[in-house]
Amino acid sequence: MIRTVFLAGLAAALACSAAAHQQRVASAEVLLNGRSGFVEVAHRFSIHDAEHALALADGERPDLIGSAAARESFAAYVAGSFSIVDGRGEPLELTILGSEIEGGHIWIYQEAPLPSDPSGMSMRHGAFHEIWSDQRTLVTVKSPGGDTSLLFEDDLTLPVVF
């Protein structure tokens, strides 16, 4: 009996420890760059969260640090989970530029031609939200007219208000 209680407690402690490492928080910066004429996007995810989410989705844990193919696959997943729509309702054609590892994070970079009128834009960011209901993604939009932040929690599509 004591052994059973001990093992149950140990299992619960290990489960809490594993969950404690998951941040379930991502961030992105969207720069409306009038000088370059592009919308430049930089997504930032914890490698631990990314690998764990991909393992839950695919059944096998990728090696984002050691595998360029795994990073490309993750970048494609992020690109499929993120979109920007201009004020006329037309989606921007975002191109994946690449990815990089920095510390315990993976960065995914995208760009699209800057719309002539960025007012009325909206964004969708759904990465990991289909896996974890408590996933949060903070997106900072930087423009000549000022900066704004969007927090994607329950609502995955939000208007950009400058």
Side-chain angles (χ1 to χ4, degrees):
M1 175 72 163
I2 292 175
R3 182 173 186 231
T4 304
V5 171
F6 172 75
L7 291 176
L10 180 61
L14 290 174
C16 289
S17 175
H21 292 292
Q22 296 170 11
Q23 296 174 2
R24 297 186 185 172
V25 175
S27 63
E29 182 175 288
V30 177
L31 175 62
L32 306 181
N33 191 336
R35 288 186 326 200
S36 71
F38 283 92
V39 175
E40 301 165 357
V41 183
H43 304 272
R44 181 178 183 254
F45 298 89
S46 155
I47 290 173
H48 183 278
D49 284 0
E51 288 180 342
H52 185 76
L54 292 174
L56 289 173
D58 298 337
E60 84 182 53
R61 193 171 191 111
D63 177 11
L64 291 175
I65 295 173
S67 170
R71 288 190 299 278
E72 287 176 18
S73 178
F74 182 67
Y77 163 77
V78 171
S81 300
F82 177 77
S83 61
I84 302 174
V85 176
D86 69 16
R88 298 175 314 203
E90 297 293 322
L92 300 188
E93 299 216 14
L94 290 158
T95 301
I96 299 171
L97 300 176
S99 65
E100 71 177 327
I101 303 294
E102 179 185 66
H105 296 91
I106 181 168
W107 289 84
I108 307 297
Y109 302 104
Q110 296 179 279
E111 71 176 9
L114 185 64
S116 57
D117 182 10
S119 64
M121 287 187 351
S122 65
M123 290 184 196
R124 180 181 190 288
H125 206 309
F128 301 162
H129 289 268
E130 76 282 5
I131 298 169
W132 295 311
S133 62
D134 61 345
Q135 173 68 33
R136 294 179 320 237
T137 306
L138 178 64
V139 177
T140 302
V141 181
K142 296 179 174 270
S143 75
D147 298 351
T148 188
S149 294
L150 306 171
L151 181 60
F152 294 86
E153 291 179 295
D154 299 327
D155 194 356
L156 302 183
T157 302
L158 298 170
V160 179
V161 180
F162 298 102

